[in-house]
Amino acid sequence: MPSPRTRSAALLLATALATLGLGGPAAAPAAAATVPVGAGGYSDTRPAGTSGPTTNTGTPVTPKLTAAAQGKPVPTNDWWSSLAFQRYGDNPWSTPMYGHPLTYRATAAGLDIGYPTTPAIVGDGRQYEYAHQRDLTLGLTGLNSPDTKADAWSDWTVTPYWSDGTRTLRTTIGHGLPFVYAKGTGGSARITTATAPAVFADQGNVLGITVAGHHYALFAPTGTDWTVSGSTLTAPLGGKDYFSLAVLPSTDALALYKKYAFSFVTGSKAVWSQGGGTVRATYTLTTQPQEGTETGTLQALYRHQWLHTTDPLTPYTYVSPRGTMKVREGLSFTTSQRAAAVLPGLPKSSGTDPARLRGYLNEAANAADPFAGATDTYWTGKALGRLAQLVPLAEQTGDTAVRDKLLGLIKGRLQDWFTAGGPNEFSYDRTWKTLIGYPASYGSDTELNDHHFHYSYYVYAAAVVAQYDPAWAADSAWGGMVKTLVRDAANPSRTDSAFPFLRGFDVYAGHSWASGHQGFAAGNNQESSSESTNLSAGLVLWGSATGDTALRDLGVYLLTTESEAIAQYWFDADQQVFPASFGHDTAGMVWGSGAAYATWWTANPEEIHGINVLPVTGGSLHLGGEKEAIRRNIAEMERENGGPAVEWRDILWEFQALADPAAAKAKWDAGHAAYTPEAGESKAHTYHWITTLDTLGAPDTAVTGDIPTSAVFTKGTVRTYAAHNHGSTARTVTFSDGAKLVVPARSTATGTGTGGTDPGPSTGDTFQLRSGGTLTTATGGTAGSDTIASAGGANHDGTPYQPLVYEARGVNGTLKAGGATAFRLQVDAGTTVGLGQQARVSYDLTGDGTFERTETYHYFATDPVAGWEEYGQTRGLKSATGALGDLKGGTVRLEVWHAIGNGTAKLRTGTDGSVLVIPYQ
């Protein structure tokens, strides 16, 4: 978010964006009542003189929903929210919506559909966009609807609804869906094209057409026929109510897409889990056949998804603003990632001078007014965040008086906001089912913008308090209000009647959206991705401190998922997303249509580059996983800036320290004497951050710990392991390279590891499994086990379902003539009947992310007697694709899952009882 000094500056975005309206006259509120929550509460009516959601001219607005959807919490801040939030009085349908690969816009005649494949560089070269451009409109003959409403929705799909009194139309659209599914009454299916279509296939009820160079297939019920008249195509529904269309990756895909044309998607759901330093997520579509029995489907995966799945993909791809999308044939796919690290703060190190740090801490703690100028939710949050970062540093210096003073300041301001009445409070809007803090800012009230940004600071600060004062964080005290903010911004429940599921976070897009209404020609947007991940890190810390494992694991999933999206879509880490013509190495904002080298308030390069870094916390360590991207980012900032950072030098020094700590330390040494810290920063925190990383080294994201609050740093050849134990007893944290760290209760500890070595798969062909997802040739590990998730009573034979994933990277080897993969895996189903474990081994020969060889083995049926059994390659190959070759910096991956059954089982790790032997020398 911006500096108050520059907020009034003009928006530096493409002129194609719709005008942003703020504020307007407020409707008179009713008499307010306080809803008690623990020791605090919120008001059920907003304060006098304030506004709730409005149009851009200030007229109060209510959700645009059908009768079937009335009363349900509305998912604002989504890719399609303009269907429900009418931001402009003269547009009761929608603004452009970017589902990818398709784009959409609701009109009176139905649904405009496009597939933009050529980027435009606009805004003086500062923005690239694949802007929505209509190829065709899907509707019914005669349809002229006065509006479009949201009828139903799921995790990443939505069903818009049209009615003109005679005809009704429902369509289901979504992220990754190449199909549009339509149900209509009162008219024939009608497709109108922007230009005359070229027919490439005519099979009666199936028609293949090309419009503006894009290939579409139209599907009417069996027994009907499409009629082409100029740019209008119609088909009677023959007493049925369904039809569909699909954008084809090529004309030769028609037969495959025809197979699934009447298997209509009816819902979407993401489920996640974390453990042993790995995050797994499964994304599943539900379908209903309209004719025939086919229930499968096709879906396109974003780059951040296909980089982390081993599920088979078709050869078909699509163009999108997020780079290449790859098509999967199937109802679900699973991703597996190393968990992003979170610490309450960087650990103590010898490179930080305690006396100097105490001086900086005293300066911050004894400021005349630590909350000067902080009156609204955002700027209060920034001040809370600044103070929260100092608490663990004061603890490290042994200055409990300063620590407790900081905690007192944080508690006092949180409790002030968590108490209804007075100059600031949270108020619940029953119509929109949202909690709004007043005084509001940046459209958090009238547009429902940025709740995840603003509230992230409150949750993070509360998590720091909870670490030192568990009683304060109890639900009966102030924890209940913290959880109420979480329910508004990142609710994990789909059945909560008061708040929507994950308001800001888009599980399929992999990141959050900031605009509540999505009312822009470029779709929705998010500027400060780092303030979004600040909420995720806060959830990890809050859940860890309070024992709420569900919120902790939600935070791990959100942070890990968004960290990859940030790397790819904000920083173009692999240089495979931004168009070559864009000319920038980073984006200040990501839009549905593309991305912009810009912010909402300034063209200052320091803030364009820094807005996706701040606030710098123990939840920022994931950024260190892409060190080359950081180096390119800093270099571009200095080119654009005409020299090193000045205004936000501290933020950018800290960012650079995640890749090149020594260079950042040199800049601190040369420039710390006379600068004003960024509003959410302090000299104490910046000094500690830079000197600690200079001593320990940059984050090493290739190694993970088996608790979320752990991290690894590497300097030269030395790894330092760090972890915080929120528990009441000491625990041993095990890292994926085999290292161990004993962490006392309620403490942070560091060490160089015991009982383990680096993964080092460069010698030997026999790999042991380590909890946390590593394959290693090292021996001498500690026996353990991982839990194989239940198949849930479904049949997953041949298709990994929530698999355990183990990898060795950087593997070199020469293929042995006539060699073959071998393995023995010790598994134990206990007394559970009917379980079958299955394994898949994959080889990425060059480490480029493409697996040239995949081998799936027949599953092993365990007996219902407790004790280890051995599953080996002797069960035989079920299927294999591709061919083996020499490994040159390659990756070897083992996946284990339940093919059948309804229960969990154990997989042995840490010993030679479970090994993978590869045919290399």
Side-chain angles (χ1 to χ4, degrees):
M1 291 298 294
S3 159
R5 299 187 301 277
T6 56
R7 182 64 187 181
S8 61
L11 303 184
L12 294 165
L13 298 170
T15 56
L17 300 183
T19 302
L20 177 70
L22 294 173
T34 296
V35 178
V37 180
Y42 58 85
S43 173
D44 67 354
T45 306
R46 65 178 182 269
T50 63
S51 290
T54 69
T55 66
N56 66 314
T57 59
T59 303
V61 65
T62 58
K64 197 156 54 79
L65 307 175
T66 65
Q70 285 292 339
K72 296 180 180 179
V74 183
T76 59
N77 306 78
D78 216 330
W79 67 270
W80 57 265
S81 293
S82 62
L83 283 170
F85 192 143
Q86 185 177 341
R87 181 62 176 161
Y88 308 103
D90 60 353
N91 182 359
W93 300 284
S94 83
T95 54
M97 301 172 289
Y98 293 80
H100 306 142
L102 290 171
T103 61
Y104 318 94
R105 183 170 188 168
T107 68
L111 185 68
D112 286 357
I113 299 167
Y115 172 42
T117 54
T118 303
I121 307 301
V122 299
D124 294 326
R126 289 178 169 267
Q127 183 167 351
Y128 78 85
E129 60 179 12
Y130 293 79
H132 168 71
Q133 186 169 348
R134 170 182 171 264
D135 282 346
L136 46 81
T137 301
L138 179 152
L140 300 171
T141 53
L143 179 65
N144 185 22
S145 179
D147 57 26
T148 308
K149 299 176 180 178
D151 184 57
W153 50 82
S154 61
D155 284 11
W156 62 89
T157 68
V158 64
T159 299
Y161 172 85
W162 294 257
S163 176
D164 61 8
T166 302
R167 291 153 288 266
T168 64
L169 174 67
R170 288 177 174 85
T171 65
T172 296
I173 56 179
H175 280 317
L177 298 189
F179 287 94
V180 175
Y181 307 97
K183 290 204 148 190
T185 63
S188 298
R190 182 184 66 183
I191 305 294
T192 57
T193 58
T195 59
V199 176
F200 66 82
D202 188 348
Q203 303 171 11
N205 70 314
V206 177
L207 193 67
I209 61 173
T210 301
V211 180
H214 304 140
H215 309 301
Y216 293 90
L218 315 181
F219 305 98
T222 298
T224 63
D225 195 9
W226 287 96
T227 298
V228 180
S229 177
S231 61
T232 300
L233 304 89
T234 57
L237 296 180
K240 309 295 185 182
D241 66 350
Y242 57 85
F243 62 105
S244 67
L245 68 76
V247 61
L248 303 179
S250 61
T251 56
D252 65 7
L254 178 59
L256 176 63
Y257 281 64
K258 178 181 176 181
K259 177 181 178 181
Y260 300 111
F262 300 116
S263 177
F264 276 31
V265 168
T266 56
S268 57
K269 186 177 182 179
V271 295
W272 55 85
S273 63
Q274 73 83 26
T278 299
V279 176
R280 295 179 181 87
T282 299
Y283 301 84
T284 302
L285 296 171
T286 54
T287 61
Q288 179 67 44
Q290 304 303 300
E291 59 180 62
T293 59
E294 180 58 63
T295 57
T297 194
L298 298 163
Q299 52 190 318
L301 279 63
Y302 284 115
R303 179 176 181 82
H304 76 275
Q305 295 168 324
W306 58 255
L307 280 172
H308 296 286
T309 188
T310 58
D311 291 333
L313 304 175
T314 73
Y316 295 117
T317 62
Y318 290 105
V319 174
S320 88
R322 309 293 181 255
T324 300
M325 300 183 78
K326 297 188 177 184
V327 177
R328 166 136 170 94
E329 186 177 8
L331 290 173
S332 68
F333 63 91
T334 297
T335 60
S336 178
Q337 293 176 253
R338 293 188 181 93
V342 179
L343 292 172
L346 292 188
K348 187 176 182 179
S349 78
S350 60
T352 304
D353 179 358
R356 187 174 180 183
L357 179 58
R358 278 194 293 270
Y360 287 139
L361 286 167
N362 282 321
E363 180 182 322
N366 296 321
D369 181 3
F371 295 95
T375 57
D376 59 51
T377 48
Y378 181 71
W379 292 102
T380 297
K382 292 273 285 188
L384 287 167
R386 182 181 67 249
L387 297 174
Q389 296 310 310
L390 301 180
V391 172
L393 310 191
E395 174 86 356
Q396 288 178 20
T397 67
D399 195 335
T400 56
V402 168
R403 179 200 66 189
D404 293 345
K405 181 174 184 177
L406 292 166
L407 287 169
L409 289 168
I410 296 168
K411 288 180 187 178
R413 191 53 56 105
L414 286 173
Q415 291 168 198
D416 186 32
W417 275 89
F418 290 168
T419 303
N424 40 256
E425 67 174 18
F426 287 98
S427 301
Y428 182 70
D429 187 310
R430 290 183 295 271
T431 301
W432 285 93
K433 297 187 183 297
T434 185
L435 194 72
I436 303 173
Y438 293 95
S441 53
Y442 310 126
S444 60
D445 50 354
T446 57
E447 302 177 64
L448 301 185
N449 294 341
D450 299 354
H451 284 202
H452 62 310
F453 293 165
H454 296 207
Y455 302 170
S456 75
Y457 291 100
Y458 292 73
V459 175
Y460 201 116
V464 171
V465 173
Q467 179 179 326
Y468 295 91
D469 188 351
W472 183 92
D475 288 351
S476 59
W478 300 99
M481 276 301 294
V482 177
K483 289 183 178 180
T484 304
L485 264 66
V486 172
R487 286 170 67 199
D488 180 78
N491 191 5
S493 172
R494 296 177 179 85
T495 59
D496 191 332
S497 62
F499 298 97
F501 171 67
L502 293 181
R503 180 186 303 279
F505 193 81
D506 185 328
V507 294
Y508 204 86
H511 60 80
S512 296
W513 297 110
S515 169
H517 52 74
Q518 183 262 310
F520 302 95
N524 214 324
N525 73 90
Q526 177 164 263
E527 183 183 60
S528 184
S529 60
S530 47
E531 287 180 308
S532 177
T533 57
N534 191 48
L535 175 58
S536 306
L539 291 174
V540 173
L541 295 176
W542 174 264
S544 297
T546 62
D548 191 331
T549 57
L551 283 184
R552 178 201 66 192
D553 292 355
L554 170 64
V556 175
Y557 164 70
L558 296 178
L559 178 60
T560 302
T561 303
E562 192 155 21
S563 70
E564 185 64 77
I566 292 166
Q568 299 299 329
Y569 310 141
W570 274 260
F571 297 153
D572 197 17
D574 298 335
Q575 299 180 292
Q576 295 294 313
V577 173
F578 294 174
S581 53
F582 180 45
H584 292 283
D585 289 314
T586 192
M589 309 174 71
V590 163
W591 288 86
S593 65
Y597 185 78
T599 72
W600 279 111
W601 78 98
T602 181
N604 180 354
E606 297 182 32
E607 289 159 289
I608 292 171
H609 288 258
I611 194 60
N612 286 291
V613 178
L614 64 79
V616 177
T617 75
S620 303
L621 299 175
H622 69 94
L623 295 171
E626 300 291 349
K627 294 178 176 58
E628 284 305 315
I630 293 175
R631 294 178 183 118
R632 291 195 301 270
N633 194 307
I634 294 293
E636 180 181 20
M637 183 279 297
E638 293 184 348
R639 288 195 307 271
E640 295 284 336
N641 204 44
V646 177
E647 184 176 352
W648 278 9
R649 67 181 76 180
D650 45 359
I651 299 297
L652 293 160
W653 289 339
E654 291 170 300
F655 186 37
Q656 187 170 20
L658 292 169
D660 297 309
K665 174 67 160 48
K667 289 180 178 178
W668 161 269
D669 289 341
H672 73 271
Y675 81 95
T676 301
E678 186 274 332
E681 259 302 345
S682 64
K683 285 194 174 181
H685 181 257
T686 301
Y687 169 67
H688 181 271
W689 182 272
I690 292 172
T691 54
T692 300
L693 292 179
D694 184 52
T695 303
L696 303 182
D700 184 345
T701 59
V703 182
T704 57
D706 63 2
I707 64 171
T709 50
S710 57
V712 181
F713 306 88
T714 297
K715 184 173 185 178
T717 59
V718 178
R719 277 180 176 157
T720 299
Y721 303 85
H724 185 85
N725 176 13
H726 285 89
S728 58
T729 59
R731 68 168 296 165
T732 298
V733 178
T734 301
F735 291 83
S736 59
D737 62 356
K740 297 181 183 300
L741 180 67
V742 177
V743 189
R746 299 191 180 94
S747 300
T748 296
T750 59
T752 55
T754 60
T757 62
D758 292 350
S762 58
T763 59
D765 61 357
T766 301
F767 295 82
Q768 292 186 13
L769 285 59
R770 293 284 191 264
S771 294
T774 297
L775 293 172
T776 177
T777 55
T779 58
T782 300
S785 64
D786 287 339
T787 300
I788 309 172
S790 171
N795 189 320
H796 301 290
D797 187 11
T799 303
Y801 178 75
Q802 298 187 26
L804 295 172
V805 181
Y806 304 87
E807 284 188 348
R809 299 192 178 195
V811 183
N812 298 296
T814 302
L815 182 64
K816 295 178 181 177
T821 303
F823 61 85
R824 63 174 179 269
L825 303 175
Q826 289 187 328
V827 291
D828 180 13
T831 58
T832 304
V833 177
L835 301 188
Q837 298 81 34
Q838 193 160 32
R840 181 165 75 180
V841 180
S842 303
Y843 296 86
D844 172 359
L845 300 180
T846 60
D848 65 354
T850 299
F851 285 86
E852 287 82 5
R853 172 72 172 177
T854 299
E855 303 170 357
T856 303
Y857 292 82
H858 289 292
Y859 67 77
F860 174 71
T862 45
D863 63 36
V865 179
W868 297 111
E869 299 177 74
E870 189 170 290
Y871 169 31
Q873 82 284 350
T874 54
R875 290 293 300 162
L877 271 174
K878 176 181 175 65
S879 64
T881 60
L884 288 171
D886 291 347
L887 284 163
K888 299 176 181 178
T891 298
V892 179
R893 176 181 289 172
L894 168 68
E895 298 165 275
V896 183
W897 71 97
H898 270 123
I900 57 171
N902 193 9
T904 62
K906 298 291 187 183
L907 173 63
R908 190 75 154 171
T909 62
T911 76
D912 60 4
S914 291
V915 296
L916 171 67
V917 182
I918 62 174
Y920 289 87
Q921 58 188 10

